[in-house]
Amino acid sequence: MRANEYLDRKIETATAKETASMQESLLARQLDYLFARSEFYREKFHAAGVRRKDFRRLRDVARFPFTTKEELRASQSAHPPLGRHIAADWRDVIRIHSSTGTTGKPSFVGITRRDAKVWTRLMARSFYTQGLRKTDVVVHAAGLTLFVAGLTSKDAIESIGAVFVPLGTGASEKALSMIPLLSVNAIHCTPSYAAYFADFVRDAGINPRELGLKKVFCGAEPGAGIPAVRDKLEQDWGARVTEGLGNADMAPIIFSECPEQSGMHFNGPDAVVAEIVDPETGESLPHETGVAGELAYSSLQRECVPLLRFRTRDRVQVLGTSCACGRTGFKLRCIGRTDDMLIVLGVNVFPSAIKDVVSSFYPATTGEIQIVLDKPGPGVAPPLKVVAECRAEPAAAAALKSAIERKIKATLSISASVVPVPAGALPHYEMKGQLVKKTYEDEA
Ligand SMILES: [Zn+2]
């Protein structure tokens, strides 16, 4: 193993025992802090009948109650601006990030100087795992302002010594001219934008490969880990495409892929405990290959917004527990969000899984899809209506349509009705893609 393969060798290659022992002592300290500083948690623990002394071993975390996004929203509405779950003094807060949730109301996350330091190191480790080095010039083509992975990416990328180019969103024209001028060789963006920008460059009469991007760092939505989507992006750009996963309330990037591209490593054992829980029963599941469930995070060193067993609504599957790169953090892929899940005759299906199947027909399909719902989900009466961009001649379109439908049935065990549309007919998104189109009136 070469010396420059890890940013934090000791943490990244620790044995399971070493990691558990580190997390145990950090979590004990974080619990002391919660009991001392957080009225929000003292009340929750009291209601659940758990005491500080109930935590002795790492597995005891499962004796403590979960925290949900709804609770954080309610806490923030009742006690503006940051909520009753803020555990630091206002004078120690140095920055506020926010996310606009599905309800449209912003949700604020504050950080102290120490929180920022922990985030920066965790994110730097994640970028480093993805192959970022100090010789790289990275254009950040994603949100920069309130977005939790904006300024924090700047801190992390600069801390490695790489060059950070703060482009932001909606600036494809500028990106096209600046990338060659600055010898940019890496981009940080959503997978939707990586696909959108490739089309944009082609429309300008340039082969995307000529821009010389060699590293595409994706995040903020599933996509880059979907094999067919990744293959297409790698073909478009002639670059290695890797993805990261984080959470606006916990840390901007917590998992990221190494060059083996076989799932995202858990990179933050010193910052977060990452449990995989059964979404229905709440049971904590083992980190074993094949195990699937919802991610729940507990912070280990947080000052402003320490959270315990925070339910992310991200559905993940463990892909492995060892890796050729030598990192010992378990590897997973994100299957989708609980909120996006559809149930077709009792079978759970995520829109990203449909996109994966349709993309596997590339170049006969472009990979762009839209699932059309005419009634509120998650239950959908079969067949599931899937609009897919196809390049087939009219004569071959019917055969392609039924081939895709057969593959969806064989892979996902649901019936779908595929509606082929010409390439470019579906909206292309610069930020996060929208895989579901609702044709009914939303109640909210
Ligand atoms: Zn690896």
Side-chain angles (χ1 to χ4, degrees), residues 150-168:
L151 290 170
T152 54
S153 291
K154 167 200 163 289
D155 292 344
I157 289 169
E158 288 177 1
S159 81
I160 289 176
V163 178
F164 181 82
V165 184
L167 185 79

PDB file of all heavy atoms in Angstrom, residues 150-168:
ATOM      1  N   GLY A 150     -21.677  23.363   0.262  1.00  0.00           N
ATOM      2  CA  GLY A 150     -21.071  24.418  -0.537  1.00  0.00           C
ATOM      3  C   GLY A 150     -19.765  24.909   0.069  1.00  0.00           C
ATOM      4  O   GLY A 150     -18.680  24.440  -0.282  1.00  0.00           O
ATOM      5  N   LEU A 151     -19.873  25.846   1.023  1.00  0.00           N
ATOM      6  CA  LEU A 151     -18.667  26.392   1.654  1.00  0.00           C
ATOM      7  C   LEU A 151     -17.845  25.309   2.350  1.00  0.00           C
ATOM      8  O   LEU A 151     -16.626  25.423   2.464  1.00  0.00           O
ATOM      9  CB  LEU A 151     -19.067  27.475   2.661  1.00  0.00           C
ATOM     10  CG  LEU A 151     -19.610  28.746   2.011  1.00  0.00           C
ATOM     11  CD1 LEU A 151     -20.214  29.664   3.062  1.00  0.00           C
ATOM     12  CD2 LEU A 151     -18.511  29.467   1.236  1.00  0.00           C
ATOM     13  N   THR A 152     -18.523  24.262   2.799  1.00  0.00           N
ATOM     14  CA  THR A 152     -17.805  23.185   3.485  1.00  0.00           C
ATOM     15  C   THR A 152     -16.916  22.418   2.493  1.00  0.00           C
ATOM     16  O   THR A 152     -15.844  21.957   2.865  1.00  0.00           O
ATOM     17  CB  THR A 152     -18.795  22.219   4.160  1.00  0.00           C
ATOM     18  OG1 THR A 152     -19.732  21.763   3.175  1.00  0.00           O
ATOM     19  CG2 THR A 152     -19.575  22.902   5.270  1.00  0.00           C
ATOM     20  N   SER A 153     -17.361  22.307   1.229  1.00  0.00           N
ATOM     21  CA  SER A 153     -16.514  21.675   0.211  1.00  0.00           C
ATOM     22  C   SER A 153     -15.291  22.533  -0.047  1.00  0.00           C
ATOM     23  O   SER A 153     -14.189  22.030  -0.253  1.00  0.00           O
ATOM     24  CB  SER A 153     -17.275  21.491  -1.111  1.00  0.00           C
ATOM     25  OG  SER A 153     -18.274  20.520  -0.970  1.00  0.00           O
ATOM     26  N   LYS A 154     -15.493  23.854  -0.053  1.00  0.00           N
ATOM     27  CA  LYS A 154     -14.376  24.788  -0.235  1.00  0.00           C
ATOM     28  C   LYS A 154     -13.316  24.530   0.841  1.00  0.00           C
ATOM     29  O   LYS A 154     -12.135  24.349   0.541  1.00  0.00           O
ATOM     30  CB  LYS A 154     -14.881  26.230  -0.155  1.00  0.00           C
ATOM     31  CG  LYS A 154     -13.802  27.267  -0.024  1.00  0.00           C
ATOM     32  CD  LYS A 154     -14.378  28.577   0.536  1.00  0.00           C
ATOM     33  CE  LYS A 154     -13.294  29.485   1.064  1.00  0.00           C
ATOM     34  NZ  LYS A 154     -12.655  29.053   2.299  1.00  0.00           N
ATOM     35  N   ASP A 155     -13.773  24.502   2.112  1.00  0.00           N
ATOM     36  CA  ASP A 155     -12.827  24.282   3.215  1.00  0.00           C
ATOM     37  C   ASP A 155     -12.078  22.959   3.048  1.00  0.00           C
ATOM     38  O   ASP A 155     -10.870  22.888   3.243  1.00  0.00           O
ATOM     39  CB  ASP A 155     -13.577  24.266   4.564  1.00  0.00           C
ATOM     40  CG  ASP A 155     -14.129  25.636   4.921  1.00  0.00           C
ATOM     41  OD1 ASP A 155     -13.681  26.630   4.316  1.00  0.00           O
ATOM     42  OD2 ASP A 155     -15.006  25.712   5.806  1.00  0.00           O
ATOM     43  N   ALA A 156     -12.832  21.900   2.698  1.00  0.00           N
ATOM     44  CA  ALA A 156     -12.230  20.565   2.624  1.00  0.00           C
ATOM     45  C   ALA A 156     -11.246  20.465   1.463  1.00  0.00           C
ATOM     46  O   ALA A 156     -10.134  19.954   1.618  1.00  0.00           O
ATOM     47  CB  ALA A 156     -13.330  19.513   2.487  1.00  0.00           C
ATOM     48  N   ILE A 157     -11.649  20.968   0.299  1.00  0.00           N
ATOM     49  CA  ILE A 157     -10.797  20.859  -0.895  1.00  0.00           C
ATOM     50  C   ILE A 157      -9.539  21.711  -0.716  1.00  0.00           C
ATOM     51  O   ILE A 157      -8.430  21.282  -1.028  1.00  0.00           O
ATOM     52  CB  ILE A 157     -11.613  21.233  -2.154  1.00  0.00           C
ATOM     53  CG1 ILE A 157     -12.628  20.112  -2.435  1.00  0.00           C
ATOM     54  CG2 ILE A 157     -10.706  21.468  -3.365  1.00  0.00           C
ATOM     55  CD1 ILE A 157     -13.689  20.426  -3.477  1.00  0.00           C
ATOM     56  N   GLU A 158      -9.710  22.898  -0.153  1.00  0.00           N
ATOM     57  CA  GLU A 158      -8.538  23.755   0.095  1.00  0.00           C
ATOM     58  C   GLU A 158      -7.607  23.126   1.133  1.00  0.00           C
ATOM     59  O   GLU A 158      -6.391  23.279   1.049  1.00  0.00           O
ATOM     60  CB  GLU A 158      -8.988  25.138   0.584  1.00  0.00           C
ATOM     61  CG  GLU A 158      -9.619  25.978  -0.513  1.00  0.00           C
ATOM     62  CD  GLU A 158     -10.128  27.330  -0.008  1.00  0.00           C
ATOM     63  OE1 GLU A 158      -9.980  27.632   1.194  1.00  0.00           O
ATOM     64  OE2 GLU A 158     -10.689  28.070  -0.831  1.00  0.00           O
ATOM     65  N   SER A 159      -8.193  22.415   2.117  1.00  0.00           N
ATOM     66  CA  SER A 159      -7.348  21.842   3.170  1.00  0.00           C
ATOM     67  C   SER A 159      -6.427  20.751   2.618  1.00  0.00           C
ATOM     68  O   SER A 159      -5.367  20.488   3.176  1.00  0.00           O
ATOM     69  CB  SER A 159      -8.195  21.304   4.328  1.00  0.00           C
ATOM     70  OG  SER A 159      -8.707  20.023   4.019  1.00  0.00           O
ATOM     71  N   ILE A 160      -6.844  20.122   1.513  1.00  0.00           N
ATOM     72  CA  ILE A 160      -5.986  19.122   0.874  1.00  0.00           C
ATOM     73  C   ILE A 160      -4.870  19.822   0.094  1.00  0.00           C
ATOM     74  O   ILE A 160      -3.820  19.254  -0.172  1.00  0.00           O
ATOM     75  CB  ILE A 160      -6.834  18.196  -0.029  1.00  0.00           C
ATOM     76  CG1 ILE A 160      -7.695  17.273   0.848  1.00  0.00           C
ATOM     77  CG2 ILE A 160      -5.974  17.373  -0.983  1.00  0.00           C
ATOM     78  CD1 ILE A 160      -8.641  16.376   0.087  1.00  0.00           C
ATOM     79  N   GLY A 161      -5.130  21.069  -0.248  1.00  0.00           N
ATOM     80  CA  GLY A 161      -4.136  21.823  -1.008  1.00  0.00           C
ATOM     81  C   GLY A 161      -4.474  21.904  -2.485  1.00  0.00           C
ATOM     82  O   GLY A 161      -3.727  22.470  -3.280  1.00  0.00           O
ATOM     83  N   ALA A 162      -5.621  21.309  -2.859  1.00  0.00           N
ATOM     84  CA  ALA A 162      -6.066  21.396  -4.250  1.00  0.00           C
ATOM     85  C   ALA A 162      -6.633  22.794  -4.496  1.00  0.00           C
ATOM     86  O   ALA A 162      -6.881  23.544  -3.547  1.00  0.00           O
ATOM     87  CB  ALA A 162      -7.125  20.338  -4.525  1.00  0.00           C
ATOM     88  N   VAL A 163      -6.822  23.144  -5.765  1.00  0.00           N
ATOM     89  CA  VAL A 163      -7.361  24.464  -6.097  1.00  0.00           C
ATOM     90  C   VAL A 163      -8.878  24.365  -6.212  1.00  0.00           C
ATOM     91  O   VAL A 163      -9.408  23.509  -6.931  1.00  0.00           O
ATOM     92  CB  VAL A 163      -6.773  24.973  -7.433  1.00  0.00           C
ATOM     93  CG1 VAL A 163      -7.368  26.325  -7.803  1.00  0.00           C
ATOM     94  CG2 VAL A 163      -5.254  25.051  -7.345  1.00  0.00           C
ATOM     95  N   PHE A 164      -9.581  25.213  -5.488  1.00  0.00           N
ATOM     96  CA  PHE A 164     -11.047  25.223  -5.487  1.00  0.00           C
ATOM     97  C   PHE A 164     -11.531  26.379  -6.357  1.00  0.00           C
ATOM     98  O   PHE A 164     -11.162  27.530  -6.130  1.00  0.00           O
ATOM     99  CB  PHE A 164     -11.549  25.404  -4.046  1.00  0.00           C
ATOM    100  CG  PHE A 164     -13.044  25.397  -3.896  1.00  0.00           C
ATOM    101  CD1 PHE A 164     -13.754  24.208  -3.841  1.00  0.00           C
ATOM    102  CD2 PHE A 164     -13.748  26.594  -3.789  1.00  0.00           C
ATOM    103  CE1 PHE A 164     -15.139  24.212  -3.679  1.00  0.00           C
ATOM    104  CE2 PHE A 164     -15.133  26.602  -3.637  1.00  0.00           C
ATOM    105  CZ  PHE A 164     -15.821  25.407  -3.580  1.00  0.00           C
ATOM    106  N   VAL A 165     -12.333  26.069  -7.378  1.00  0.00           N
ATOM    107  CA  VAL A 165     -12.884  27.111  -8.247  1.00  0.00           C
ATOM    108  C   VAL A 165     -14.384  27.210  -7.964  1.00  0.00           C
ATOM    109  O   VAL A 165     -15.153  26.331  -8.338  1.00  0.00           O
ATOM    110  CB  VAL A 165     -12.629  26.790  -9.743  1.00  0.00           C
ATOM    111  CG1 VAL A 165     -13.126  27.926 -10.625  1.00  0.00           C
ATOM    112  CG2 VAL A 165     -11.159  26.509  -9.995  1.00  0.00           C
ATOM    113  N   PRO A 166     -14.820  28.276  -7.259  1.00  0.00           N
ATOM    114  CA  PRO A 166     -16.219  28.370  -6.818  1.00  0.00           C
ATOM    115  C   PRO A 166     -17.169  28.830  -7.920  1.00  0.00           C
ATOM    116  O   PRO A 166     -17.546  29.993  -7.976  1.00  0.00           O
ATOM    117  CB  PRO A 166     -16.158  29.388  -5.679  1.00  0.00           C
ATOM    118  CG  PRO A 166     -14.963  30.233  -5.985  1.00  0.00           C
ATOM    119  CD  PRO A 166     -14.002  29.416  -6.785  1.00  0.00           C
ATOM    120  N   LEU A 167     -17.565  27.919  -8.767  1.00  0.00           N
ATOM    121  CA  LEU A 167     -18.404  28.291  -9.906  1.00  0.00           C
ATOM    122  C   LEU A 167     -19.870  28.454  -9.516  1.00  0.00           C
ATOM    123  O   LEU A 167     -20.536  29.378  -9.958  1.00  0.00           O
ATOM    124  CB  LEU A 167     -18.268  27.222 -11.005  1.00  0.00           C
ATOM    125  CG  LEU A 167     -19.013  27.553 -12.289  1.00  0.00           C
ATOM    126  CD1 LEU A 167     -18.218  28.549 -13.115  1.00  0.00           C
ATOM    127  CD2 LEU A 167     -19.290  26.301 -13.091  1.00  0.00           C
ATOM    128  N   GLY A 168     -20.382  27.538  -8.690  1.00  0.00           N
ATOM    129  CA  GLY A 168     -21.801  27.584  -8.336  1.00  0.00           C
ATOM    130  C   GLY A 168     -22.667  26.953  -9.417  1.00  0.00           C
ATOM    131  O   GLY A 168     -22.175  26.224 -10.275  1.00  0.00           O
TER     132      GLY A 168
END
